[in-house]
């Protein structure tokens, strides 16, 4: 598979490109759903999950770890503080989603909606948080643990839906995937086109973004 991206790159400026992997997204959207975890090696754990398309819990999620400790009693879609980082249009749309997703629907329109939501969740951390599908844990003690989210109904009771992450150690940085191979650059009057072969798939921790560096200019601070 080849990924292509285009971006104008001024002299001595490091560009970053966001490249979603369709097969990784499909894996997360399969009937069982998926949950991912990554550690910075300094006590911070980043969690991201995606439910089965037909099982969006109306009351959000309860987060716990493999010791049985409840870390967050309820992570809700449309949390007020999380919505503040989004545009007015996105915030309004997310407020309306719970009623839409609660309806049983197997139409093509529903599948398209789920695909769009998945693309945004996997490409925009602030959107994922506002959707109630991401969380960060700080000052986590060393040691390997798994993390679990349980779907909740409107009364706050568990629905039986559970997603579990792979084991993750807060004291050991999650290794990055290998760099892509076969990188090519084509220049024309509108900018630079970059093409590369995607690395081997890691189903436990999918690739969400690529950081693109330019000789003598380092790397920009965040993906675009």
């Amino acid at each position: 598979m080849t990924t292509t991206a285009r971006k104008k790159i001024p002299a001595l400026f490091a560009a970053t490109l966001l490249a979603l992997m369709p097969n990784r997204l499909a894996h997360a959207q399969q009937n069982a759903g998926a949950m991912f975890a990554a550690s910075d090696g300094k006590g911070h754990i980043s969690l991201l999950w995606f439910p089965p398309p037909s099982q969006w819990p109306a009351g959000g999620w309860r987060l716990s770890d493999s010791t049985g400790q409840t870390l967050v009693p309820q992570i809700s879609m449309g949390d007020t503080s999380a919505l503040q980082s989004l545009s007015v249009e996105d915030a309004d749309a997310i407020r309306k989603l719970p009623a839409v997703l609660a309806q049983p629907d197997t139409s093509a329109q529903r599948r398209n909606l789920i695909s769009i939501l998945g693309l945004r969740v996997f490409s925009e951390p602030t959107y994922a948080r506002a959707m109630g599908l991401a969380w960060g844990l700080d000052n986590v003690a060393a040691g390997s643990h798994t993390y679990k989210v349980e779907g909740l109904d409107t009364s706050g009771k568990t629905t039986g839906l559970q997603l579990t992450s792979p084991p993750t150690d807060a004291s050991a940085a999650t290794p990055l995937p290998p760099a892509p191979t076969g990188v090519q650059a084509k220049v024309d009057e509108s900018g630079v086109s970059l093409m590369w072969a995607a690395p081997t798939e890691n189903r436990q921790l999918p690739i969400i973004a690529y950081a693109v560096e330019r000789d003598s200019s380092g790397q920009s601070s965040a993906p675009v």
Side-chain angles (χ1 to χ4, degrees):
M1 183 175 74
T2 300
T3 301
T4 304
R6 173 178 292 273
K7 186 174 181 67
K8 291 183 179 179
I9 306 177
L12 301 179
F13 182 81
T16 57
L17 305 174
L18 186 68
L20 284 176
M21 299 293 97
N23 56 330
R24 275 67 166 185
L25 181 59
H27 166 58
Q29 291 179 338
Q30 64 182 307
N31 291 337
M35 183 175 186
F36 310 104
S39 167
D40 68 355
K42 301 176 182 179
H44 180 82
I45 299 290
S46 297
L47 302 171
L48 177 68
W49 59 94
F50 203 88
S54 61
Q55 298 183 52
W56 286 74
W61 305 86
R62 177 182 300 162
L63 173 63
S64 60
D65 63 16
S66 50
T67 69
Q69 179 183 4
T70 297
L71 304 176
V72 186
Q74 187 174 29
I75 301 172
S76 301
M77 182 189 302
D79 177 78
T80 302
S81 60
L83 290 178
Q84 291 177 354
S85 61
L86 302 183
S87 67
V88 173
E89 293 79 9
D90 279 343
D92 287 343
I94 287 179
R95 291 189 185 99
K96 298 173 183 176
L97 277 175
V100 174
L101 295 173
Q103 301 298 320
D105 187 351
T106 58
S107 67
Q109 184 177 9
R110 172 63 171 262
R111 292 195 297 272
N112 289 338
L113 172 62
I114 296 298
S115 295
I116 292 170
L117 293 176
L119 287 170
R120 295 206 61 184
V121 164
F122 274 71
S123 63
E124 303 174 44
T126 54
Y127 193 86
R129 175 66 190 89
M131 285 287 293
L133 298 175
W135 197 262
L137 300 170
D138 292 313
N139 302 316
V140 180
S144 181
H145 299 287
T146 59
Y147 297 89
K148 178 177 67 176
V149 288
E150 299 174 90
L152 304 175
D153 62 20
T154 52
S155 65
K157 296 181 180 179
T158 57
T159 64
L161 172 61
Q162 297 183 5
L163 301 174
T164 303
S165 76
T168 307
D169 189 343
S171 66
T174 301
L176 292 173
T181 58
V183 178
Q184 302 178 45
K186 295 183 179 180
V187 182
D188 58 30
E189 65 279 359
S190 64
V192 178
S193 295
L194 301 176
M195 293 155 285
W196 56 86
T200 302
E201 178 183 10
N202 177 359
R203 297 178 72 88
Q204 291 191 332
L205 193 64
I207 294 172
I208 293 177
Y210 291 111
V212 179
E213 299 180 3
R214 182 171 176 171
D215 288 347
S216 306
S217 60
Q219 174 181 314
S220 58
S221 59
V224 180

